[in-house]
Amino acid sequence: MDSNCIFCKIVNGEIPARFAHRDDRVVAISDVNPQAPTHLLVMPVAHHANIGELSDAADRALTAELFAVASRLGREHGPDGYRLVMNTGADGGQTVDHLHVHVLAGRQMSWPPG
Ligand code: 5GP
Ligand code: ZN
């Protein structure tokens, strides 16, 4: 846990959120500023800043678990399709440095993203 991290505080219950999934290792919450009818954030309980850091860590299975939860929620909320996004670093548009997968569904997505 990183005591300055807003998503660690959400995972630990210090900041309230609406949970769409919760197990020992992965949680999913509703984004506070949704960009689609469904906008969820899937994240590890453990603090990893980004996908690079998680890939460097010993726990390789956690990446698969994150995508398993994200794709299940995507399929549930977007039977006709959905989008998974991982903004990474400053140029990637990441604003919270606790790894998370955005699950966006419920509208036609455009490409390229901004
Ligand atoms: P990023 O910009 O890092 O890819 O995504 C961070 C996301 O976290 C944004 O979509 C933002 O709306 C969301 N967010 C920031 N603070 C909170 C919060 O306190 N609660 C929830 N549920 N979402 C948050
Ligand atoms: Zn964190």
Side-chain angles (χ1 to χ4, degrees):
M1 155 129 194
D2 177 335
S3 56
N4 294 317
C5 172
I6 192 167
F7 285 176
C8 281
K9 289 180 179 167
I10 287 175
V11 165
N12 289 324
E14 289 173 52
I15 294 176
R18 183 192 297 251
F19 285 83
H21 172 87
R22 173 157 227 164
D23 65 43
D24 287 350
R25 283 159 60 81
V26 178
V27 303
I29 62 171
S30 297
D31 197 294
V32 76
N33 182 23
Q35 302 301 311
T38 294
H39 187 171
L40 303 172
L41 304 171
V42 181
M43 65 189 74
V45 168
H47 181 89
H48 296 276
N50 55 49
I51 186 61
E53 247 185 47
L54 177 56
S55 297
D56 292 341
D59 192 356
R60 307 301 293 270
L62 189 51
T63 302
E65 291 170 35
L66 284 171
F67 278 97
V69 172
S71 59
R72 178 177 61 73
L73 290 169
R75 197 160 41 195
E76 280 174 20
H77 292 272
D80 295 328
Y82 56 90
R83 182 170 287 174
L84 305 183
V85 175
M86 290 178 91
N87 297 325
T88 304
D91 277 4
Q94 185 174 11
T95 59
V96 179
D97 288 334
H98 180 130
L99 164 65
H100 50 280
V101 183
H102 295 257
V103 181
L104 297 152
R107 66 168 169 82
Q108 178 64 58
M109 304 295 157
S110 59
W111 191 265

